[in-house]
Amino acid sequence: EKGGYDYFMLKEIAEQPQAIADTLLGRLSERGEIVLDEVRLTDQDLRDIDKVFIVACGTSYHAGMVAKYAIEHWTRIPCEVELASEFRYRDPILDRSTLVITISQSGETMDTLMALRHAKEQKARVLAICNTNGSTIPRESDAVLYTHGGPEIAVASTKAFLTQLVACYLIGLHLAQIRGVMYADEVAAVVEKLQSTPDSLRLLLDRMEDVRALARDLKTASTVLFIGRHVGYPVALEGALKLKELAYMHAEGFAAGELKHGPISLIDEGTPVVCVVPSPAGRGVLRDKVVSNIQEVRARGARTIVIAEEGDENVKAYADHLITVPSTPTLLAPLMTTVPLQILACEIAAARGLDVDQPRNLAKSVTVE
Ligand code: F6R
């Protein structure tokens, strides 16, 4: 049932290209427009929205963090992302023109469900992004956009995460299209890139052998740090979360620009630092900023593991270990850059002899607050 893989997690990682394609299926017109007929909110409802809140937990929260960058950039609607467990305890400002998007693989996460109920009491519109048909969160929401990732068995979320990103991109583009913020050809250009991600991801998955070798080297590290900027920041957080939950190692993700405000003092001779480098195209400034952060940690003895776009040859000089990913527009890059981090965590856990699919103390569906 693991389809020839040692773990469900590896099988689910390998299924990601298909999961993305399935999540896009039927939601794009031939002209490259977004068609979300299943979302039971009228175009008028969506035009009236003046604020978006995304609430979720864990990995799904990281998807929400990426979504904030995309939704604000494309729609120009203010968008906040918040941990579901914090959301309702701080009396958030919500009304009829607020769209609250919950993101949940299981659709049963109690923290997210309680946040959703709170949002409904305040009359906000609630839209669920969910992977489990008929689960509680979509049932209680005004609208739902299902991710078509298929069942996720491993406790650590992988394919659900990538399909959540895809669903968020679709919602962002749909809102931008309906509200006339993006021209049809601009939406179509992003859609075309989205449609090419499954193929790019297949290429990436085919050359992950050296990540396995790297995992054997890192299995005894006392801490692993992850840094990124912009959408690379939530990717860094996600890489660290995967390593903590699977390998029981200390790991922490930082916004690269925050290093000098404290965390850089953690760096010692040989400390592994995984650096998520933005694409040099489009936002070259961001990429250059991360490269200077890499130089800073290296100067203090860090061992750098650099995730960068193919063709960004200059980063080689700063990488003790370089992992390249296919080129993608900046906002879509987490669909690529997350994958080596999933494999790294999985392989480190395996090298430490741990139960990859069923880490200690964790449950697939967290139905208590
Ligand atoms: C991490 C992981 C958890 C879940 C979180 C939310 O790999 O699986 O952090 O992402 O418990 O679960 P859902 O998405 O089911 O609400």
Side-chain angles (χ1 to χ4, degrees), residues 57-60 103-107 109 112 155-157 164 241-242 245 364 366:
C57 305
T59 290
S60 300
I103 308 178
S104 176
Q105 188 287 128
S106 61
T109 302
T112 311
V155 163
S157 186
Q164 288 165 347
L241 176 62
K242 283 285 164 289
E245 66 173 331
K364 184 65 187 161
V366 185

PDB file of all heavy atoms in Angstrom, residues 57-60 103-107 109 112 155-157 164 241-242 245 364 366, ligand 1:
ATOM      1  N   CYS A  57      -3.646  26.206  11.421  1.00  0.00           N
ATOM      2  CA  CYS A  57      -2.639  25.747  12.382  1.00  0.00           C
ATOM      3  C   CYS A  57      -1.499  25.033  11.658  1.00  0.00           C
ATOM      4  O   CYS A  57      -1.712  24.430  10.602  1.00  0.00           O
ATOM      5  CB  CYS A  57      -3.226  24.715  13.350  1.00  0.00           C
ATOM      6  SG  CYS A  57      -4.674  25.285  14.220  1.00  0.00           S
ATOM      7  N   GLY A  58      -0.336  25.055  12.260  1.00  0.00           N
ATOM      8  CA  GLY A  58       0.799  24.236  11.813  1.00  0.00           C
ATOM      9  C   GLY A  58       1.165  24.481  10.359  1.00  0.00           C
ATOM     10  O   GLY A  58       1.312  25.627   9.912  1.00  0.00           O
ATOM     11  N   THR A  59       1.300  23.400   9.636  1.00  0.00           N
ATOM     12  CA  THR A  59       1.680  23.489   8.226  1.00  0.00           C
ATOM     13  C   THR A  59       0.644  24.291   7.426  1.00  0.00           C
ATOM     14  O   THR A  59       0.999  25.072   6.544  1.00  0.00           O
ATOM     15  CB  THR A  59       1.846  22.059   7.665  1.00  0.00           C
ATOM     16  OG1 THR A  59       3.018  21.502   8.265  1.00  0.00           O
ATOM     17  CG2 THR A  59       1.990  22.033   6.165  1.00  0.00           C
ATOM     18  N   SER A  60      -0.621  24.102   7.754  1.00  0.00           N
ATOM     19  CA  SER A  60      -1.667  24.838   7.031  1.00  0.00           C
ATOM     20  C   SER A  60      -1.522  26.347   7.269  1.00  0.00           C
ATOM     21  O   SER A  60      -1.817  27.161   6.390  1.00  0.00           O
ATOM     22  CB  SER A  60      -3.052  24.363   7.477  1.00  0.00           C
ATOM     23  OG  SER A  60      -3.188  22.984   7.202  1.00  0.00           O
ATOM     24  N   ILE A 103      -7.837  27.193   6.534  1.00  0.00           N
ATOM     25  CA  ILE A 103      -7.104  26.178   5.766  1.00  0.00           C
ATOM     26  C   ILE A 103      -6.906  24.969   6.678  1.00  0.00           C
ATOM     27  O   ILE A 103      -6.352  25.106   7.776  1.00  0.00           O
ATOM     28  CB  ILE A 103      -5.731  26.692   5.288  1.00  0.00           C
ATOM     29  CG1 ILE A 103      -5.871  28.030   4.544  1.00  0.00           C
ATOM     30  CG2 ILE A 103      -5.056  25.657   4.388  1.00  0.00           C
ATOM     31  CD1 ILE A 103      -4.531  28.617   4.080  1.00  0.00           C
ATOM     32  N   SER A 104      -7.398  23.828   6.249  1.00  0.00           N
ATOM     33  CA  SER A 104      -7.250  22.621   7.068  1.00  0.00           C
ATOM     34  C   SER A 104      -7.266  21.378   6.185  1.00  0.00           C
ATOM     35  O   SER A 104      -8.179  21.189   5.391  1.00  0.00           O
ATOM     36  CB  SER A 104      -8.387  22.545   8.094  1.00  0.00           C
ATOM     37  OG  SER A 104      -8.300  21.345   8.830  1.00  0.00           O
ATOM     38  N   GLN A 105      -6.255  20.554   6.333  1.00  0.00           N
ATOM     39  CA  GLN A 105      -6.223  19.283   5.607  1.00  0.00           C
ATOM     40  C   GLN A 105      -7.374  18.399   6.073  1.00  0.00           C
ATOM     41  O   GLN A 105      -8.164  17.916   5.286  1.00  0.00           O
ATOM     42  CB  GLN A 105      -4.860  18.602   5.849  1.00  0.00           C
ATOM     43  CG  GLN A 105      -4.573  17.355   5.030  1.00  0.00           C
ATOM     44  CD  GLN A 105      -5.342  16.123   5.438  1.00  0.00           C
ATOM     45  OE1 GLN A 105      -5.974  15.480   4.586  1.00  0.00           O
ATOM     46  NE2 GLN A 105      -5.344  15.787   6.703  1.00  0.00           N
ATOM     47  N   SER A 106      -7.458  18.206   7.399  1.00  0.00           N
ATOM     48  CA  SER A 106      -8.422  17.250   7.949  1.00  0.00           C
ATOM     49  C   SER A 106      -9.844  17.794   7.967  1.00  0.00           C
ATOM     50  O   SER A 106     -10.806  17.028   7.902  1.00  0.00           O
ATOM     51  CB  SER A 106      -8.023  16.898   9.380  1.00  0.00           C
ATOM     52  OG  SER A 106      -8.042  18.076  10.185  1.00  0.00           O
ATOM     53  N   GLY A 107      -9.978  19.102   8.116  1.00  0.00           N
ATOM     54  CA  GLY A 107     -11.308  19.690   8.277  1.00  0.00           C
ATOM     55  C   GLY A 107     -11.894  19.460   9.663  1.00  0.00           C
ATOM     56  O   GLY A 107     -13.063  19.749   9.915  1.00  0.00           O
ATOM     57  N   THR A 109      -9.772  20.083  12.654  1.00  0.00           N
ATOM     58  CA  THR A 109      -8.908  20.706  13.664  1.00  0.00           C
ATOM     59  C   THR A 109      -9.726  21.642  14.558  1.00  0.00           C
ATOM     60  O   THR A 109     -10.340  22.597  14.083  1.00  0.00           O
ATOM     61  CB  THR A 109      -7.760  21.477  12.968  1.00  0.00           C
ATOM     62  OG1 THR A 109      -7.052  20.546  12.170  1.00  0.00           O
ATOM     63  CG2 THR A 109      -6.827  22.133  13.959  1.00  0.00           C
ATOM     64  N   THR A 112      -9.131  25.474  14.601  1.00  0.00           N
ATOM     65  CA  THR A 112      -9.574  26.133  13.369  1.00  0.00           C
ATOM     66  C   THR A 112     -11.103  26.195  13.339  1.00  0.00           C
ATOM     67  O   THR A 112     -11.694  27.205  12.943  1.00  0.00           O
ATOM     68  CB  THR A 112      -9.007  25.368  12.147  1.00  0.00           C
ATOM     69  OG1 THR A 112      -7.611  25.175  12.357  1.00  0.00           O
ATOM     70  CG2 THR A 112      -9.248  26.118  10.845  1.00  0.00           C
ATOM     71  N   VAL A 155       1.563  11.386   9.204  1.00  0.00           N
ATOM     72  CA  VAL A 155       1.157  12.479  10.094  1.00  0.00           C
ATOM     73  C   VAL A 155       1.667  13.824   9.556  1.00  0.00           C
ATOM     74  O   VAL A 155       0.959  14.827   9.572  1.00  0.00           O
ATOM     75  CB  VAL A 155       1.637  12.207  11.542  1.00  0.00           C
ATOM     76  CG1 VAL A 155       1.610  13.476  12.365  1.00  0.00           C
ATOM     77  CG2 VAL A 155       0.743  11.149  12.184  1.00  0.00           C
ATOM     78  N   ALA A 156       2.895  13.838   9.062  1.00  0.00           N
ATOM     79  CA  ALA A 156       3.456  15.101   8.548  1.00  0.00           C
ATOM     80  C   ALA A 156       2.798  15.456   7.225  1.00  0.00           C
ATOM     81  O   ALA A 156       2.718  14.653   6.305  1.00  0.00           O
ATOM     82  CB  ALA A 156       4.959  14.963   8.372  1.00  0.00           C
ATOM     83  N   SER A 157       2.338  16.675   7.160  1.00  0.00           N
ATOM     84  CA  SER A 157       1.610  17.119   5.973  1.00  0.00           C
ATOM     85  C   SER A 157       2.579  17.514   4.855  1.00  0.00           C
ATOM     86  O   SER A 157       3.507  18.283   5.072  1.00  0.00           O
ATOM     87  CB  SER A 157       0.750  18.314   6.385  1.00  0.00           C
ATOM     88  OG  SER A 157      -0.067  18.687   5.326  1.00  0.00           O
ATOM     89  N   GLN A 164      -2.822  23.124  -0.808  1.00  0.00           N
ATOM     90  CA  GLN A 164      -3.381  24.303  -0.127  1.00  0.00           C
ATOM     91  C   GLN A 164      -2.846  25.573  -0.772  1.00  0.00           C
ATOM     92  O   GLN A 164      -3.585  26.551  -0.968  1.00  0.00           O
ATOM     93  CB  GLN A 164      -2.997  24.287   1.361  1.00  0.00           C
ATOM     94  CG  GLN A 164      -3.736  23.242   2.169  1.00  0.00           C
ATOM     95  CD  GLN A 164      -3.111  22.995   3.529  1.00  0.00           C
ATOM     96  OE1 GLN A 164      -1.979  23.416   3.806  1.00  0.00           O
ATOM     97  NE2 GLN A 164      -3.818  22.298   4.395  1.00  0.00           N
ATOM     98  N   LEU A 241       9.683  23.137  10.935  1.00  0.00           N
ATOM     99  CA  LEU A 241       8.610  22.365  11.591  1.00  0.00           C
ATOM    100  C   LEU A 241       8.722  20.882  11.221  1.00  0.00           C
ATOM    101  O   LEU A 241       8.609  20.006  12.086  1.00  0.00           O
ATOM    102  CB  LEU A 241       7.232  22.918  11.185  1.00  0.00           C
ATOM    103  CG  LEU A 241       6.026  22.140  11.725  1.00  0.00           C
ATOM    104  CD1 LEU A 241       5.977  22.146  13.250  1.00  0.00           C
ATOM    105  CD2 LEU A 241       4.713  22.707  11.179  1.00  0.00           C
ATOM    106  N   LYS A 242       8.954  20.606   9.940  1.00  0.00           N
ATOM    107  CA  LYS A 242       9.073  19.210   9.505  1.00  0.00           C
ATOM    108  C   LYS A 242      10.205  18.513  10.252  1.00  0.00           C
ATOM    109  O   LYS A 242      10.073  17.373  10.682  1.00  0.00           O
ATOM    110  CB  LYS A 242       9.347  19.145   7.995  1.00  0.00           C
ATOM    111  CG  LYS A 242       8.119  19.383   7.129  1.00  0.00           C
ATOM    112  CD  LYS A 242       7.202  18.176   7.133  1.00  0.00           C
ATOM    113  CE  LYS A 242       5.818  18.507   6.613  1.00  0.00           C
ATOM    114  NZ  LYS A 242       4.997  19.349   7.519  1.00  0.00           N
ATOM    115  N   GLU A 245       9.212  17.888  13.975  1.00  0.00           N
ATOM    116  CA  GLU A 245       8.196  16.869  14.239  1.00  0.00           C
ATOM    117  C   GLU A 245       8.664  15.468  13.861  1.00  0.00           C
ATOM    118  O   GLU A 245       8.282  14.504  14.505  1.00  0.00           O
ATOM    119  CB  GLU A 245       6.851  17.212  13.575  1.00  0.00           C
ATOM    120  CG  GLU A 245       6.833  17.205  12.076  1.00  0.00           C
ATOM    121  CD  GLU A 245       5.413  17.398  11.519  1.00  0.00           C
ATOM    122  OE1 GLU A 245       4.434  17.014  12.179  1.00  0.00           O
ATOM    123  OE2 GLU A 245       5.306  17.917  10.405  1.00  0.00           O
ATOM    124  N   LYS A 364      -2.798  12.756  13.602  1.00  0.00           N
ATOM    125  CA  LYS A 364      -3.064  13.303  12.271  1.00  0.00           C
ATOM    126  C   LYS A 364      -4.112  14.396  12.329  1.00  0.00           C
ATOM    127  O   LYS A 364      -4.088  15.356  11.583  1.00  0.00           O
ATOM    128  CB  LYS A 364      -3.497  12.171  11.330  1.00  0.00           C
ATOM    129  CG  LYS A 364      -3.710  12.598   9.878  1.00  0.00           C
ATOM    130  CD  LYS A 364      -2.403  13.063   9.239  1.00  0.00           C
ATOM    131  CE  LYS A 364      -2.585  13.654   7.854  1.00  0.00           C
ATOM    132  NZ  LYS A 364      -1.408  14.476   7.469  1.00  0.00           N
ATOM    133  N   VAL A 366      -6.153  16.917  14.931  1.00  0.00           N
ATOM    134  CA  VAL A 366      -6.080  17.423  16.304  1.00  0.00           C
ATOM    135  C   VAL A 366      -7.438  17.971  16.711  1.00  0.00           C
ATOM    136  O   VAL A 366      -7.770  19.123  16.440  1.00  0.00           O
ATOM    137  CB  VAL A 366      -4.970  18.487  16.463  1.00  0.00           C
ATOM    138  CG1 VAL A 366      -4.829  18.911  17.922  1.00  0.00           C
ATOM    139  CG2 VAL A 366      -3.638  17.951  15.953  1.00  0.00           C
TER     140      VAL A 366
HETATM  141  C1  F6R B   1       2.585  19.262  10.277  1.00  0.00           C
HETATM  142  C2  F6R B   1       1.157  18.987  10.427  1.00  0.00           C
HETATM  143  C3  F6R B   1       0.343  19.845  11.340  1.00  0.00           C
HETATM  144  C4  F6R B   1      -1.000  20.215  10.686  1.00  0.00           C
HETATM  145  C5  F6R B   1      -1.888  20.975  11.660  1.00  0.00           C
HETATM  146  C6  F6R B   1      -3.179  21.433  11.018  1.00  0.00           C
HETATM  147  O1  F6R B   1       3.184  18.404   9.359  1.00  0.00           O
HETATM  148  O2  F6R B   1       0.648  18.068   9.812  1.00  0.00           O
HETATM  149  O3  F6R B   1       1.044  20.998  11.705  1.00  0.00           O
HETATM  150  O4  F6R B   1      -0.726  20.974   9.540  1.00  0.00           O
HETATM  151  O5  F6R B   1      -2.173  20.169  12.776  1.00  0.00           O
HETATM  152  O6  F6R B   1      -3.925  20.351  10.567  1.00  0.00           O
HETATM  153  P1  F6R B   1      -5.099  20.540   9.535  1.00  0.00           P
HETATM  154  O7  F6R B   1      -4.518  21.038   8.260  1.00  0.00           O
HETATM  155  O8  F6R B   1      -5.716  19.174   9.385  1.00  0.00           O
HETATM  156  O9  F6R B   1      -6.058  21.525  10.136  1.00  0.00           O
END
